[in-house]
Amino acid sequence: MAPPRDPLLENPHGGPEDRDASTTGEKIVLYIFVGLFTGLMLLEVFIEVSPSRMASIFFLFFWMPLTIFHEAGHAMVARWVGWRVDGVQLGFGRVWRIIRIRGIRVEVRSWPIVGMVLITPSSVRGARLKNALIYAAGPGIELIAAALVAAMVGWDTVTGPSTSYGLAAAQAFCLAAVTGAILNLLPISSNPNVVTDGMGILMSPFLTQTHFETSM
């Protein structure tokens, strides 16, 4: 997600560094992710390990780095169009570590399975298009990554049965990337104060000049 700095779009909980994962939406995401991870790990312990069965573990393993990749896409395109990146939040829950990457403050939180980028427009010129491009960059970079891996492995191979652990990992990477992109492109949000990428893209053409001037 890549909301610009606006009272309606900005994460209202982004300030305090000791914030817990307290919202209903965050708890649901956390419970689902932990439940899936624990269940799949136990499944692999009690069932004979094979490349096809390991694909589910690979899927969860790739989710976190893909989240970082996703948010980096938002930040890079925002800088490319000349807008200011005020900060990146990776995950939710308590802040585990704060780092700076090229002057950008990055918060790494307890559960880095979702993310957010805080952005401020630098001008109103072409703002609607730039806003849409920034929102599209996150899922877009995931889809590009999936396409590149699929091209390297082979389009027919990546959709076929998992005959090796390497192939299972490639298939899981592509599936995780495509799944993450699709989920972010859905124009729905569990938190009324957060705009998803899909919502942001659809809203961008209808935002007024005053909206961007207020955000600057």
mmCIF file of all heavy atoms in Angstrom, residues 38-85:
data_model
loop_
_atom_site.group_PDB
_atom_site.id
_atom_site.type_symbol
_atom_site.label_atom_id
_atom_site.label_comp_id
_atom_site.label_asym_id
_atom_site.label_seq_id
_atom_site.Cartn_x
_atom_site.Cartn_y
_atom_site.Cartn_z
ATOM 1 N N THR A 38 1.893 -22.315 10.784
ATOM 2 C CA THR A 38 1.985 -23.403 11.763
ATOM 3 C C THR A 38 1.392 -24.697 11.223
ATOM 4 O O THR A 38 1.985 -25.772 11.346
ATOM 5 C CB THR A 38 1.257 -23.013 13.062
ATOM 6 O OG1 THR A 38 1.806 -21.783 13.561
ATOM 7 C CG2 THR A 38 1.410 -24.097 14.114
ATOM 8 N N GLY A 39 0.216 -24.588 10.596
ATOM 9 C CA GLY A 39 -0.432 -25.778 10.062
ATOM 10 C C GLY A 39 0.385 -26.452 8.983
ATOM 11 O O GLY A 39 0.535 -27.685 8.972
ATOM 12 N N LEU A 40 0.951 -25.662 8.072
ATOM 13 C CA LEU A 40 1.747 -26.233 6.992
ATOM 14 C C LEU A 40 3.055 -26.822 7.501
ATOM 15 O O LEU A 40 3.515 -27.859 6.996
ATOM 16 C CB LEU A 40 2.023 -25.159 5.934
ATOM 17 C CG LEU A 40 0.789 -24.713 5.137
ATOM 18 C CD1 LEU A 40 1.115 -23.491 4.296
ATOM 19 C CD2 LEU A 40 0.288 -25.846 4.252
ATOM 20 N N MET A 41 3.654 -26.201 8.505
ATOM 21 C CA MET A 41 4.874 -26.749 9.085
ATOM 22 C C MET A 41 4.600 -28.098 9.733
ATOM 23 O O MET A 41 5.354 -29.062 9.555
ATOM 24 C CB MET A 41 5.448 -25.763 10.116
ATOM 25 C CG MET A 41 6.092 -24.537 9.506
ATOM 26 S SD MET A 41 7.604 -24.904 8.573
ATOM 27 C CE MET A 41 8.710 -25.338 9.911
ATOM 28 N N LEU A 42 3.507 -28.190 10.491
ATOM 29 C CA LEU A 42 3.156 -29.460 11.123
ATOM 30 C C LEU A 42 2.823 -30.515 10.087
ATOM 31 O O LEU A 42 3.151 -31.699 10.255
ATOM 32 C CB LEU A 42 1.966 -29.248 12.074
ATOM 33 C CG LEU A 42 2.247 -28.419 13.331
ATOM 34 C CD1 LEU A 42 0.958 -28.175 14.106
ATOM 35 C CD2 LEU A 42 3.261 -29.128 14.221
ATOM 36 N N LEU A 43 2.194 -30.093 9.005
ATOM 37 C CA LEU A 43 1.843 -31.026 7.943
ATOM 38 C C LEU A 43 3.093 -31.654 7.331
ATOM 39 O O LEU A 43 3.133 -32.863 7.077
ATOM 40 C CB LEU A 43 1.050 -30.282 6.864
ATOM 41 C CG LEU A 43 0.426 -31.133 5.758
ATOM 42 C CD1 LEU A 43 -0.661 -32.034 6.330
ATOM 43 C CD2 LEU A 43 -0.167 -30.245 4.677
ATOM 44 N N GLU A 44 4.125 -30.841 7.144
ATOM 45 C CA GLU A 44 5.343 -31.354 6.554
ATOM 46 C C GLU A 44 6.103 -32.268 7.513
ATOM 47 O O GLU A 44 6.876 -33.118 7.092
ATOM 48 C CB GLU A 44 6.252 -30.199 6.122
ATOM 49 C CG GLU A 44 5.659 -29.334 5.026
ATOM 50 C CD GLU A 44 5.327 -30.126 3.779
ATOM 51 O OE1 GLU A 44 5.997 -31.138 3.514
ATOM 52 O OE2 GLU A 44 4.381 -29.745 3.080
ATOM 53 N N VAL A 45 5.899 -32.084 8.831
ATOM 54 C CA VAL A 45 6.566 -32.935 9.823
ATOM 55 C C VAL A 45 5.985 -34.337 9.797
ATOM 56 O O VAL A 45 6.704 -35.338 9.875
ATOM 57 C CB VAL A 45 6.455 -32.320 11.229
ATOM 58 C CG1 VAL A 45 6.929 -33.309 12.289
ATOM 59 C CG2 VAL A 45 7.262 -31.031 11.310
ATOM 60 N N PHE A 46 4.668 -34.436 9.666
ATOM 61 C CA PHE A 46 3.997 -35.724 9.775
ATOM 62 C C PHE A 46 3.760 -36.418 8.436
ATOM 63 O O PHE A 46 3.373 -37.572 8.394
ATOM 64 C CB PHE A 46 2.655 -35.545 10.496
ATOM 65 C CG PHE A 46 2.815 -35.137 11.925
ATOM 66 C CD1 PHE A 46 2.539 -33.846 12.330
ATOM 67 C CD2 PHE A 46 3.276 -36.044 12.869
ATOM 68 C CE1 PHE A 46 2.689 -33.467 13.659
ATOM 69 C CE2 PHE A 46 3.435 -35.674 14.193
ATOM 70 C CZ PHE A 46 3.145 -34.384 14.596
ATOM 71 N N ILE A 47 3.991 -35.708 7.330
ATOM 72 C CA ILE A 47 3.807 -36.295 6.012
ATOM 73 C C ILE A 47 5.155 -36.328 5.300
ATOM 74 O O ILE A 47 5.975 -35.427 5.453
ATOM 75 C CB ILE A 47 2.777 -35.495 5.183
ATOM 76 C CG1 ILE A 47 1.415 -35.531 5.883
ATOM 77 C CG2 ILE A 47 2.658 -36.048 3.772
ATOM 78 C CD1 ILE A 47 0.350 -34.731 5.167
ATOM 79 N N GLU A 48 5.369 -37.345 4.522
ATOM 80 C CA GLU A 48 6.624 -37.483 3.796
ATOM 81 C C GLU A 48 6.894 -36.237 2.955
ATOM 82 O O GLU A 48 6.048 -35.786 2.190
ATOM 83 C CB GLU A 48 6.561 -38.709 2.888
ATOM 84 C CG GLU A 48 7.860 -38.958 2.135
ATOM 85 C CD GLU A 48 7.756 -40.163 1.231
ATOM 86 O OE1 GLU A 48 6.694 -40.823 1.248
ATOM 87 O OE2 GLU A 48 8.723 -40.431 0.500
ATOM 88 N N VAL A 49 8.102 -35.701 3.105
ATOM 89 C CA VAL A 49 8.469 -34.471 2.410
ATOM 90 C C VAL A 49 8.709 -34.763 0.923
ATOM 91 O O VAL A 49 9.333 -35.756 0.561
ATOM 92 C CB VAL A 49 9.737 -33.846 3.028
ATOM 93 C CG1 VAL A 49 10.159 -32.612 2.255
ATOM 94 C CG2 VAL A 49 9.504 -33.508 4.482
ATOM 95 N N SER A 50 8.189 -33.889 0.072
ATOM 96 C CA SER A 50 8.392 -33.989 -1.373
ATOM 97 C C SER A 50 8.396 -32.577 -1.937
ATOM 98 O O SER A 50 7.932 -31.635 -1.275
ATOM 99 C CB SER A 50 7.287 -34.827 -2.014
ATOM 100 O OG SER A 50 6.045 -34.155 -1.924
ATOM 101 N N PRO A 51 8.914 -32.391 -3.156
ATOM 102 C CA PRO A 51 8.931 -31.035 -3.735
ATOM 103 C C PRO A 51 7.555 -30.384 -3.777
ATOM 104 O O PRO A 51 7.414 -29.196 -3.464
ATOM 105 C CB PRO A 51 9.491 -31.277 -5.140
ATOM 106 C CG PRO A 51 10.345 -32.486 -4.998
ATOM 107 C CD PRO A 51 9.635 -33.359 -3.999
ATOM 108 N N SER A 52 6.530 -31.134 -4.153
ATOM 109 C CA SER A 52 5.194 -30.547 -4.260
ATOM 110 C C SER A 52 4.671 -30.116 -2.904
ATOM 111 O O SER A 52 3.999 -29.094 -2.777
ATOM 112 C CB SER A 52 4.233 -31.545 -4.908
ATOM 113 O OG SER A 52 4.161 -32.737 -4.138
ATOM 114 N N ARG A 53 4.965 -30.902 -1.868
ATOM 115 C CA ARG A 53 4.499 -30.537 -0.524
ATOM 116 C C ARG A 53 5.302 -29.376 0.054
ATOM 117 O O ARG A 53 4.781 -28.591 0.841
ATOM 118 C CB ARG A 53 4.584 -31.756 0.389
ATOM 119 C CG ARG A 53 3.545 -32.819 0.054
ATOM 120 C CD ARG A 53 3.758 -34.069 0.847
ATOM 121 N NE ARG A 53 2.746 -35.064 0.512
ATOM 122 C CZ ARG A 53 2.892 -36.364 0.686
ATOM 123 N NH1 ARG A 53 4.016 -36.831 1.182
ATOM 124 N NH2 ARG A 53 1.929 -37.211 0.367
ATOM 125 N N MET A 54 6.570 -29.279 -0.316
ATOM 126 C CA MET A 54 7.383 -28.169 0.177
ATOM 127 C C MET A 54 6.990 -26.843 -0.458
ATOM 128 O O MET A 54 7.356 -25.784 0.038
ATOM 129 C CB MET A 54 8.864 -28.448 -0.105
ATOM 130 C CG MET A 54 9.493 -29.434 0.872
ATOM 131 S SD MET A 54 9.469 -28.838 2.576
ATOM 132 C CE MET A 54 10.553 -27.432 2.453
ATOM 133 N N ALA A 55 6.234 -26.885 -1.553
ATOM 134 C CA ALA A 55 5.839 -25.654 -2.232
ATOM 135 C C ALA A 55 5.071 -24.724 -1.307
ATOM 136 O O ALA A 55 5.207 -23.499 -1.375
ATOM 137 C CB ALA A 55 5.003 -25.982 -3.473
ATOM 138 N N SER A 56 4.247 -25.292 -0.432
ATOM 139 C CA SER A 56 3.476 -24.456 0.489
ATOM 140 C C SER A 56 4.383 -23.742 1.480
ATOM 141 O O SER A 56 4.146 -22.585 1.835
ATOM 142 C CB SER A 56 2.447 -25.310 1.238
ATOM 143 O OG SER A 56 3.073 -26.385 1.918
ATOM 144 N N ILE A 57 5.449 -24.414 1.920
ATOM 145 C CA ILE A 57 6.407 -23.776 2.826
ATOM 146 C C ILE A 57 7.175 -22.685 2.092
ATOM 147 O O ILE A 57 7.399 -21.598 2.626
ATOM 148 C CB ILE A 57 7.382 -24.821 3.408
ATOM 149 C CG1 ILE A 57 6.608 -25.923 4.142
ATOM 150 C CG2 ILE A 57 8.387 -24.156 4.344
ATOM 151 C CD1 ILE A 57 5.788 -25.436 5.296
ATOM 152 N N PHE A 58 7.578 -22.980 0.874
ATOM 153 C CA PHE A 58 8.271 -21.968 0.064
ATOM 154 C C PHE A 58 7.385 -20.743 -0.140
ATOM 155 O O PHE A 58 7.858 -19.608 -0.119
ATOM 156 C CB PHE A 58 8.662 -22.545 -1.295
ATOM 157 C CG PHE A 58 9.781 -23.549 -1.244
ATOM 158 C CD1 PHE A 58 9.714 -24.711 -1.996
ATOM 159 C CD2 PHE A 58 10.898 -23.338 -0.456
ATOM 160 C CE1 PHE A 58 10.747 -25.645 -1.962
ATOM 161 C CE2 PHE A 58 11.933 -24.261 -0.405
ATOM 162 C CZ PHE A 58 11.849 -25.417 -1.166
ATOM 163 N N PHE A 59 6.085 -20.969 -0.339
ATOM 164 C CA PHE A 59 5.137 -19.870 -0.546
ATOM 165 C C PHE A 59 5.190 -18.902 0.629
ATOM 166 O O PHE A 59 5.307 -17.682 0.459
ATOM 167 C CB PHE A 59 3.727 -20.430 -0.718
ATOM 168 C CG PHE A 59 2.656 -19.391 -0.908
ATOM 169 C CD1 PHE A 59 2.277 -18.994 -2.180
ATOM 170 C CD2 PHE A 59 2.024 -18.807 0.185
ATOM 171 C CE1 PHE A 59 1.285 -18.036 -2.358
ATOM 172 C CE2 PHE A 59 1.035 -17.848 0.022
ATOM 173 C CZ PHE A 59 0.676 -17.469 -1.254
ATOM 174 N N LEU A 60 5.101 -19.422 1.837
ATOM 175 C CA LEU A 60 5.129 -18.581 3.033
ATOM 176 C C LEU A 60 6.504 -17.949 3.233
ATOM 177 O O LEU A 60 6.616 -16.801 3.679
ATOM 178 C CB LEU A 60 4.745 -19.409 4.258
ATOM 179 C CG LEU A 60 3.313 -19.953 4.268
ATOM 180 C CD1 LEU A 60 3.107 -20.884 5.458
ATOM 181 C CD2 LEU A 60 2.303 -18.826 4.310
ATOM 182 N N PHE A 61 7.537 -18.687 2.892
ATOM 183 C CA PHE A 61 8.902 -18.173 3.040
ATOM 184 C C PHE A 61 9.128 -16.949 2.155
ATOM 185 O O PHE A 61 9.795 -15.994 2.557
ATOM 186 C CB PHE A 61 9.905 -19.277 2.687
ATOM 187 C CG PHE A 61 11.338 -18.825 2.695
ATOM 188 C CD1 PHE A 61 12.036 -18.700 3.891
ATOM 189 C CD2 PHE A 61 11.993 -18.516 1.508
ATOM 190 C CE1 PHE A 61 13.363 -18.279 3.908
ATOM 191 C CE2 PHE A 61 13.309 -18.088 1.510
ATOM 192 C CZ PHE A 61 13.999 -17.972 2.710
ATOM 193 N N PHE A 62 8.582 -16.976 0.931
ATOM 194 C CA PHE A 62 8.797 -15.872 -0.010
ATOM 195 C C PHE A 62 7.898 -14.671 0.279
ATOM 196 O O PHE A 62 8.138 -13.582 -0.263
ATOM 197 C CB PHE A 62 8.549 -16.342 -1.440
ATOM 198 C CG PHE A 62 9.654 -17.205 -1.997
ATOM 199 C CD1 PHE A 62 9.371 -18.462 -2.514
ATOM 200 C CD2 PHE A 62 10.967 -16.763 -1.985
ATOM 201 C CE1 PHE A 62 10.389 -19.256 -3.025
ATOM 202 C CE2 PHE A 62 11.990 -17.553 -2.490
ATOM 203 C CZ PHE A 62 11.698 -18.806 -3.014
ATOM 204 N N TRP A 63 6.873 -14.839 1.103
ATOM 205 C CA TRP A 63 5.915 -13.752 1.311
ATOM 206 C C TRP A 63 6.575 -12.508 1.905
ATOM 207 O O TRP A 63 6.323 -11.381 1.467
ATOM 208 C CB TRP A 63 4.772 -14.233 2.200
ATOM 209 C CG TRP A 63 3.624 -13.269 2.220
ATOM 210 C CD1 TRP A 63 3.411 -12.243 3.096
ATOM 211 C CD2 TRP A 63 2.530 -13.232 1.283
ATOM 212 N NE1 TRP A 63 2.259 -11.567 2.784
ATOM 213 C CE2 TRP A 63 1.693 -12.157 1.665
ATOM 214 C CE3 TRP A 63 2.178 -14.000 0.182
ATOM 215 C CZ2 TRP A 63 0.529 -11.840 0.982
ATOM 216 C CZ3 TRP A 63 1.015 -13.686 -0.506
ATOM 217 C CH2 TRP A 63 0.207 -12.623 -0.098
ATOM 218 N N MET A 64 7.438 -12.687 2.908
ATOM 219 C CA MET A 64 8.060 -11.537 3.571
ATOM 220 C C MET A 64 8.996 -10.769 2.643
ATOM 221 O O MET A 64 8.902 -9.539 2.541
ATOM 222 C CB MET A 64 8.759 -11.980 4.841
ATOM 223 C CG MET A 64 7.818 -12.423 5.933
ATOM 224 S SD MET A 64 8.674 -12.828 7.475
ATOM 225 C CE MET A 64 7.322 -13.543 8.421
ATOM 226 N N PRO A 65 9.945 -11.439 1.953
ATOM 227 C CA PRO A 65 10.787 -10.652 1.030
ATOM 228 C C PRO A 65 10.002 -9.996 -0.095
ATOM 229 O O PRO A 65 10.362 -8.913 -0.555
ATOM 230 C CB PRO A 65 11.778 -11.699 0.491
ATOM 231 C CG PRO A 65 11.238 -13.022 0.852
ATOM 232 C CD PRO A 65 10.405 -12.828 2.062
ATOM 233 N N LEU A 66 8.911 -10.619 -0.527
ATOM 234 C CA LEU A 66 8.082 -10.008 -1.558
ATOM 235 C C LEU A 66 7.374 -8.763 -1.030
ATOM 236 O O LEU A 66 7.132 -7.814 -1.770
ATOM 237 C CB LEU A 66 7.061 -11.016 -2.092
ATOM 238 C CG LEU A 66 7.605 -11.998 -3.138
ATOM 239 C CD1 LEU A 66 6.616 -13.125 -3.381
ATOM 240 C CD2 LEU A 66 7.936 -11.278 -4.444
ATOM 241 N N THR A 67 7.042 -8.767 0.271
ATOM 242 C CA THR A 67 6.469 -7.568 0.884
ATOM 243 C C THR A 67 7.459 -6.405 0.816
ATOM 244 O O THR A 67 7.098 -5.271 0.480
ATOM 245 C CB THR A 67 6.091 -7.843 2.352
ATOM 246 O OG1 THR A 67 5.077 -8.849 2.401
ATOM 247 C CG2 THR A 67 5.584 -6.582 3.039
ATOM 248 N N ILE A 68 8.719 -6.692 1.119
ATOM 249 C CA ILE A 68 9.767 -5.667 1.031
ATOM 250 C C ILE A 68 9.905 -5.190 -0.414
ATOM 251 O O ILE A 68 10.004 -3.987 -0.693
ATOM 252 C CB ILE A 68 11.102 -6.232 1.552
ATOM 253 C CG1 ILE A 68 10.971 -6.628 3.030
ATOM 254 C CG2 ILE A 68 12.227 -5.221 1.357
ATOM 255 C CD1 ILE A 68 12.186 -7.350 3.579
ATOM 256 N N PHE A 69 9.901 -6.128 -1.344
ATOM 257 C CA PHE A 69 10.011 -5.819 -2.767
ATOM 258 C C PHE A 69 8.852 -4.925 -3.206
ATOM 259 O O PHE A 69 9.034 -3.950 -3.944
ATOM 260 C CB PHE A 69 10.005 -7.141 -3.536
ATOM 261 C CG PHE A 69 10.693 -7.077 -4.876
ATOM 262 C CD1 PHE A 69 11.892 -6.413 -5.034
ATOM 263 C CD2 PHE A 69 10.131 -7.704 -5.981
ATOM 264 C CE1 PHE A 69 12.530 -6.365 -6.266
ATOM 265 C CE2 PHE A 69 10.750 -7.660 -7.209
ATOM 266 C CZ PHE A 69 11.952 -6.991 -7.353
ATOM 267 N N HIS A 70 7.660 -5.260 -2.735
ATOM 268 C CA HIS A 70 6.438 -4.516 -3.070
ATOM 269 C C HIS A 70 6.540 -3.061 -2.615
ATOM 270 O O HIS A 70 6.295 -2.131 -3.388
ATOM 271 C CB HIS A 70 5.252 -5.207 -2.405
ATOM 272 C CG HIS A 70 3.933 -4.540 -2.621
ATOM 273 N ND1 HIS A 70 2.982 -5.022 -3.490
ATOM 274 C CD2 HIS A 70 3.388 -3.415 -2.075
ATOM 275 C CE1 HIS A 70 1.922 -4.243 -3.469
ATOM 276 N NE2 HIS A 70 2.137 -3.258 -2.610
ATOM 277 N N GLU A 71 6.905 -2.860 -1.354
ATOM 278 C CA GLU A 71 6.984 -1.498 -0.825
ATOM 279 C C GLU A 71 8.126 -0.721 -1.469
ATOM 280 O O GLU A 71 8.028 0.490 -1.659
ATOM 281 C CB GLU A 71 7.156 -1.534 0.698
ATOM 282 C CG GLU A 71 6.051 -2.274 1.447
ATOM 283 C CD GLU A 71 4.651 -1.817 1.076
ATOM 284 O OE1 GLU A 71 4.461 -0.619 0.778
ATOM 285 O OE2 GLU A 71 3.742 -2.665 1.077
ATOM 286 N N ALA A 72 9.210 -1.419 -1.808
ATOM 287 C CA ALA A 72 10.312 -0.753 -2.496
ATOM 288 C C ALA A 72 9.859 -0.238 -3.862
ATOM 289 O O ALA A 72 10.294 0.827 -4.308
ATOM 290 C CB ALA A 72 11.488 -1.720 -2.664
ATOM 291 N N GLY A 73 8.963 -0.979 -4.509
ATOM 292 C CA GLY A 73 8.424 -0.527 -5.790
ATOM 293 C C GLY A 73 7.681 0.786 -5.653
ATOM 294 O O GLY A 73 7.865 1.704 -6.469
ATOM 295 N N HIS A 74 6.836 0.895 -4.621
ATOM 296 C CA HIS A 74 6.135 2.161 -4.376
ATOM 297 C C HIS A 74 7.130 3.303 -4.175
ATOM 298 O O HIS A 74 6.995 4.380 -4.767
ATOM 299 C CB HIS A 74 5.267 2.043 -3.118
ATOM 300 C CG HIS A 74 4.063 1.182 -3.274
ATOM 301 N ND1 HIS A 74 3.170 1.322 -4.310
ATOM 302 C CD2 HIS A 74 3.574 0.177 -2.483
ATOM 303 C CE1 HIS A 74 2.184 0.441 -4.169
ATOM 304 N NE2 HIS A 74 2.415 -0.266 -3.081
ATOM 305 N N ALA A 75 8.123 3.058 -3.307
ATOM 306 C CA ALA A 75 9.071 4.111 -2.958
ATOM 307 C C ALA A 75 9.907 4.541 -4.162
ATOM 308 O O ALA A 75 10.142 5.741 -4.373
ATOM 309 C CB ALA A 75 9.971 3.628 -1.818
ATOM 310 N N MET A 76 10.365 3.581 -4.955
ATOM 311 C CA MET A 76 11.212 3.910 -6.097
ATOM 312 C C MET A 76 10.456 4.722 -7.138
ATOM 313 O O MET A 76 10.995 5.695 -7.689
ATOM 314 C CB MET A 76 11.778 2.620 -6.715
ATOM 315 C CG MET A 76 12.855 1.966 -5.877
ATOM 316 S SD MET A 76 13.674 0.574 -6.736
ATOM 317 C CE MET A 76 12.304 -0.562 -6.938
ATOM 318 N N VAL A 77 9.217 4.350 -7.421
ATOM 319 C CA VAL A 77 8.440 5.097 -8.420
ATOM 320 C C VAL A 77 8.083 6.479 -7.882
ATOM 321 O O VAL A 77 8.080 7.463 -8.627
ATOM 322 C CB VAL A 77 7.180 4.307 -8.817
ATOM 323 C CG1 VAL A 77 6.251 5.158 -9.684
ATOM 324 C CG2 VAL A 77 7.574 3.052 -9.571
ATOM 325 N N ALA A 78 7.806 6.585 -6.584
ATOM 326 C CA ALA A 78 7.516 7.895 -5.993
ATOM 327 C C ALA A 78 8.707 8.840 -6.173
ATOM 328 O O ALA A 78 8.544 10.005 -6.550
ATOM 329 C CB ALA A 78 7.176 7.736 -4.515
ATOM 330 N N ARG A 79 9.894 8.339 -5.916
ATOM 331 C CA ARG A 79 11.085 9.167 -6.113
ATOM 332 C C ARG A 79 11.328 9.455 -7.589
ATOM 333 O O ARG A 79 11.770 10.544 -7.964
ATOM 334 C CB ARG A 79 12.303 8.458 -5.502
ATOM 335 C CG ARG A 79 12.403 8.618 -3.992
ATOM 336 C CD ARG A 79 13.814 8.404 -3.510
ATOM 337 N NE ARG A 79 14.038 9.010 -2.205
ATOM 338 C CZ ARG A 79 15.221 9.033 -1.598
ATOM 339 N NH1 ARG A 79 16.271 8.485 -2.167
ATOM 340 N NH2 ARG A 79 15.347 9.605 -0.417
ATOM 341 N N TRP A 80 11.012 8.485 -8.438
ATOM 342 C CA TRP A 80 11.215 8.662 -9.877
ATOM 343 C C TRP A 80 10.347 9.790 -10.431
ATOM 344 O O TRP A 80 10.785 10.546 -11.304
ATOM 345 C CB TRP A 80 10.908 7.342 -10.588
ATOM 346 C CG TRP A 80 10.990 7.417 -12.071
ATOM 347 C CD1 TRP A 80 12.110 7.663 -12.830
ATOM 348 C CD2 TRP A 80 9.903 7.268 -12.995
ATOM 349 N NE1 TRP A 80 11.792 7.664 -14.174
ATOM 350 C CE2 TRP A 80 10.442 7.420 -14.302
ATOM 351 C CE3 TRP A 80 8.546 6.995 -12.848
ATOM 352 C CZ2 TRP A 80 9.645 7.329 -15.443
ATOM 353 C CZ3 TRP A 80 7.767 6.898 -13.991
ATOM 354 C CH2 TRP A 80 8.314 7.067 -15.263
ATOM 355 N N VAL A 81 9.116 9.935 -9.904
ATOM 356 C CA VAL A 81 8.232 11.005 -10.383
ATOM 357 C C VAL A 81 8.455 12.306 -9.624
ATOM 358 O O VAL A 81 7.774 13.299 -9.874
ATOM 359 C CB VAL A 81 6.745 10.584 -10.285
ATOM 360 C CG1 VAL A 81 6.483 9.349 -11.111
ATOM 361 C CG2 VAL A 81 6.310 10.372 -8.827
ATOM 362 N N GLY A 82 9.415 12.303 -8.683
ATOM 363 C CA GLY A 82 9.771 13.537 -7.992
ATOM 364 C C GLY A 82 9.039 13.801 -6.700
ATOM 365 O O GLY A 82 9.127 14.908 -6.151
ATOM 366 N N TRP A 83 8.305 12.815 -6.191
ATOM 367 C CA TRP A 83 7.603 12.995 -4.927
ATOM 368 C C TRP A 83 8.493 12.556 -3.767
ATOM 369 O O TRP A 83 9.441 11.778 -3.947
ATOM 370 C CB TRP A 83 6.293 12.220 -4.916
ATOM 371 C CG TRP A 83 5.240 12.837 -5.797
ATOM 372 C CD1 TRP A 83 5.420 13.781 -6.756
ATOM 373 C CD2 TRP A 83 3.842 12.530 -5.793
ATOM 374 N NE1 TRP A 83 4.226 14.102 -7.354
ATOM 375 C CE2 TRP A 83 3.237 13.343 -6.791
ATOM 376 C CE3 TRP A 83 3.041 11.665 -5.061
ATOM 377 C CZ2 TRP A 83 1.875 13.316 -7.057
ATOM 378 C CZ3 TRP A 83 1.685 11.620 -5.321
ATOM 379 C CH2 TRP A 83 1.100 12.434 -6.302
ATOM 380 N N ARG A 84 8.184 13.043 -2.584
ATOM 381 C CA ARG A 84 9.001 12.756 -1.413
ATOM 382 C C ARG A 84 8.495 11.511 -0.688
ATOM 383 O O ARG A 84 7.295 11.375 -0.436
ATOM 384 C CB ARG A 84 8.983 13.949 -0.447
ATOM 385 C CG ARG A 84 9.995 13.807 0.692
ATOM 386 C CD ARG A 84 10.026 15.027 1.581
ATOM 387 N NE ARG A 84 8.900 15.080 2.495
ATOM 388 C CZ ARG A 84 8.030 16.081 2.561
ATOM 389 N NH1 ARG A 84 8.136 17.110 1.744
ATOM 390 N NH2 ARG A 84 7.040 16.063 3.440
ATOM 391 N N VAL A 85 9.423 10.635 -0.352
ATOM 392 C CA VAL A 85 9.091 9.451 0.445
ATOM 393 C C VAL A 85 9.443 9.765 1.896
ATOM 394 O O VAL A 85 10.613 9.952 2.240
ATOM 395 C CB VAL A 85 9.871 8.208 -0.047
ATOM 396 C CG1 VAL A 85 9.524 7.001 0.823
ATOM 397 C CG2 VAL A 85 9.554 7.921 -1.504
#
